[in-house]
Amino acid sequence: MMETQGKRAVHRSPSYPMFALGKAVEKTKKVYEHDKRAAVDADIIASHLGYSAAKGFGGRAVSALKQYGLIEEVSGKYRISELGYVLVHYDRNSQEWVNAATDAARHPGLFRELLEENPNGLPSDAGLR
């Protein structure tokens, strides 16, 4: 994915989620409002997020929720995971929510790798590039 910052283009790895965790939680709330924790097709989840199908950007949006562990696959369909449920329903100041947010932030493989390679803290954005 290519994203622009100012006038400079930034290229993202395909394993980088389409959006930040906060936005992913907002999108998970939308899915929960429609289907609660029922398992549904990826196309249905994409439609709740404003996409016509789980292809292209719709597929990337569904993938981002899955990368953070906010949805889980059940027999070829997807539903809100326990982690997603906690982030949608618990108070942001509760220890359960903080633990779930930390877990979700470490869920994407790329993020987990970076944190493992830099146990004393991440370098600057320039250093990561």
Side-chain angles (χ1 to χ4, degrees), residues 3-47:
E3 181 178 301
T4 58
Q5 289 182 340
K7 295 182 180 186
R8 207 175 121 214
V10 176
H11 296 275
R12 288 188 172 180
S13 162
S15 59
Y16 189 94
M18 183 176 178
F19 29 74
L21 178 58
K23 190 162 201 139
V25 171
E26 289 174 24
K27 292 183 179 295
T28 302
K29 285 179 185 178
K30 287 182 181 180
V31 174
Y32 185 84
E33 287 169 5
H34 287 91
D35 293 312
K36 306 299 181 241
R37 291 194 69 194
V40 297
D41 290 330
D43 285 336
I44 292 171
I45 291 176
S47 73

Side-chain angles (χ1 to χ4, degrees), residues 28 31 45 62 65-66 69-73 78-81 84:
T28 302
V31 174
I45 291 176
V62 172
L65 299 186
K66 188 174 177 189
L70 303 178
I71 61 173
E72 60 191 1
E73 190 171 353
Y78 297 90
R79 69 177 191 158
I80 303 293
S81 67

Side-chain angles (χ1 to χ4, degrees), residues 118 121-129:
N118 300 281
L122 295 174
S124 66
D125 289 346
L128 285 173
R129 278 188 219 112

Side-chain angles (χ1 to χ4, degrees), residues 28-108:
T28 302
K29 285 179 185 178
K30 287 182 181 180
V31 174
Y32 185 84
E33 287 169 5
H34 287 91
D35 293 312
K36 306 299 181 241
R37 291 194 69 194
V40 297
D41 290 330
D43 285 336
I44 292 171
I45 291 176
S47 73
H48 297 327
L49 303 178
Y51 300 96
S52 58
K55 294 180 181 159
F57 284 117
R60 297 221 32 234
V62 172
S63 175
L65 299 186
K66 188 174 177 189
Q67 285 175 299
Y68 284 118
L70 303 178
I71 61 173
E72 60 191 1
E73 190 171 353
V74 178
S75 301
K77 295 184 178 190
Y78 297 90
R79 69 177 191 158
I80 303 293
S81 67
E82 185 63 29
L83 188 63
Y85 182 84
V86 169
L87 291 172
V88 166
H89 289 288
Y90 283 56
D91 182 86
R92 292 178 72 105
N93 297 316
S94 72
Q95 192 59 49
E96 293 89 347
W97 192 93
V98 171
N99 291 344
T102 301
D103 189 17
R106 295 173 181 265
H107 230 78

